[in-house]
Amino acid sequence: MAISSKARPYLLILAVVLVVVGVVVARLPGQTDGSAVATSTSPTPTTPPGIGGDGAGDPYYATDGNTGYDVDRYDVAISYDPATKKLDGKATITAKATEDLTRFNLDLHKLTVSEVRVGDQSAKFSQEGEHELVITPAATLAANQPFTVVVAYAGEPQAFDDKALGTSGWQISASGGAFAAGEPHSATAWFPANDTPKDKAKFTLAARVPNGWSVISNGREGASASADGWTTFNWTEDTPLATYLATVAIDKWQFERSELPGGTKIVNAYAPGAEGKKAQQNKLPEILAFLSEKFGPYPFDEAGGIYLSDNIGFSLETQTRPIYAQWADLETVVHENAHQWFGDSVSVSTWADICLNECFASYSQWLWAEAKEGANLDDRYRAEIEKRKDNDGYWGNKLYDMGRGNEFRGVYDKGILALHALRRQIGDPAFDQVLKGWTSQHKDGNATWPEFEQHVEKIAGQDLKGFFAAWFRGDQRPSDEYLLPGTLRR
């Protein structure tokens, strides 16, 4: 995810002010008050045997996701009328029980369920709390048993309004259409899911909209079909994705389709008023070729971009096809496509690991400037260090295990400096090996920040505990030993 450059100074000023009064809180555009955000971790829910847990154990979002099963695929079918803002949906979820289950949960946000079937039998269900869909199948699901869940639901999808992270999920576009994007929450605003990045799954969408509207989503474009004044658009992503990386965008799109030399298909979509972004998006083949040199082969079969005419506060790396706010520039395109490796192909295990996504996508902007614009990154680094030398608020942003609500406070700026310092600490050959080895070893999976530290130490042949403690785990300006390694020390 990239945050609007206009929002970043706002966040920094707010943080400094609140530190003065003894409260630390991060806010993004869309937040309506300044309530404090707790930074302590949440306890992991415990459940009796045979009952799937109503939380996947994330330290910051204890009730996100569920346990007791592993999802293989989401097949989602929706009908949406922009005139009424009403959605009707049916989701077929293919999964496997990881323990004997007499009951399990899905996550669904403010939509009303009318029917649930497990296999070929009706199942009892209830909707509890803000997002728990509690399902009791007619018979116990045995451990390792594959099963399907079919959920019928309807309503007017609602956005998530988080006091720390702003507005995300389902939003109405300037044209009257709609789109779904956000982090860490988005998917469950429009379909039921196991809403944790740890349970990645394949995804298929059939979206039916009135004629005149069109739909873009993740992955491979299928044939569309029209009947009775409505058109159904079909999209399939067969590489497992984390749920927050699924998107649907409904508008009067102008599509452009092309293909890379290796066969990767590109689909770009421009909302009315966003056509001026075409020249920028035409750089995508060059961007993907550059990033492939740095990170290894592009990890998906599809690529492209979704350009809104809406000035939301973020752009997002929705898998294979990032979604861009009106303000998005070429650096943003580099950033979001770097996420296809760091964040999408290799996903976090918990939200405490978010630097694995954002620090690397942000540093890719510097790599691009170095290669394409001749930027001297050591000079740029020193200038940033000098500018920030007395800024305690800046250095106080931890990059690992930063606390709930603080996930996006340091990763876009301090994270860049930290990775450049790491590059100079271990040298370019080792740094290149670190990047390509990481994306290869964890392709299509999940990983943690401590695993990354071990990965770097093994390749570099160095004890880097002090370095990582100073830059990523610490909340103070690093000592000169770690601040100015290698060629950074003049």
Side-chain angles (χ1 to χ4, degrees), residues 147-170:
F147 65 96
T148 59
V149 184
V150 180
V151 180
Y153 58 98
E156 183 175 336
Q158 301 295 311
F160 297 91
D161 290 313
D162 189 288
K163 291 178 180 179
L165 303 179
T167 300
S168 62
W170 191 272

Side-chain angles (χ1 to χ4, degrees), residues 52-88:
D54 61 350
D58 190 277
Y60 301 164
Y61 303 94
T63 62
D64 280 9
N66 308 281
T67 59
Y69 61 93
D70 179 60
V71 177
D72 177 64
R73 178 182 286 277
Y74 297 99
D75 289 294
V76 179
I78 62 170
S79 292
Y80 181 77
D81 187 349
T84 64
K85 300 183 177 61
K86 295 296 174 58
L87 180 146
D88 290 286

Side-chain angles (χ1 to χ4, degrees), residues 284-461:
L284 181 63
E286 181 183 358
I287 291 170
L288 291 180
F290 170 76
L291 294 174
S292 295
E293 292 175 3
K294 296 295 182 182
F295 303 152
Y298 180 66
F300 305 113
D301 296 327
E302 310 287 336
I306 303 169
Y307 281 86
L308 306 173
S309 285
D310 298 88
N311 204 22
I312 58 174
F314 62 89
S315 296
L316 187 69
E317 62 271 19
T318 41
Q319 188 159 306
T320 69
R321 200 155 287 117
I323 192 163
Y324 297 107
Q326 190 178 52
W327 52 262
D329 56 11
L330 184 62
E331 274 198 344
T332 309
V333 180
V334 173
H335 180 108
E336 301 306 342
N337 281 283
H339 272 308
Q340 303 307 305
W341 286 263
F342 289 91
D344 293 18
S345 177
V346 184
S347 301
V348 296
S349 289
T350 75
W351 292 105
D353 301 308
I354 193 63
C355 186
L356 290 173
N357 295 8
E358 300 300 343
C359 295
F360 290 88
S362 298
Y363 190 60
S364 73
Q365 299 168 207
W366 275 33
L367 294 174
W368 175 267
E370 180 181 43
K372 303 296 183 176
E373 301 164 12
N376 185 311
L377 297 190
D378 284 359
D379 287 348
R380 181 178 287 189
Y381 176 95
R382 294 187 195 101
E384 286 293 314
I385 292 294
E386 179 64 23
K387 184 169 69 174
R388 310 288 188 176
K389 65 179 181 180
D390 297 321
N391 189 336
D392 292 340
Y394 176 89
W395 297 109
N397 294 326
K398 294 174 64 177
L399 298 175
Y400 169 63
D401 199 12
M402 60 287 290
R404 189 209 185 288
N406 301 317
E407 295 96 318
F408 303 106
R409 290 183 61 198
V411 289
Y412 300 111
D413 40 32
K414 181 183 173 184
I416 295 176
L417 300 185
L419 286 182
H420 191 65
L422 177 63
R423 178 182 170 187
R424 292 297 179 242
Q425 173 71 35
I426 66 176
D428 276 358
F431 190 72
D432 290 344
Q433 189 178 348
V434 162
L435 297 181
K436 291 174 182 173
W438 182 255
T439 58
S440 173
Q441 291 172 26
H442 297 283
K443 186 176 185 292
D444 300 337
N446 299 82
T448 68
W449 181 260
E451 288 175 325
F452 180 77
E453 292 182 346
Q454 295 168 14
H455 172 72
V456 177
E457 287 190 322
K458 181 177 180 180
I459 289 173

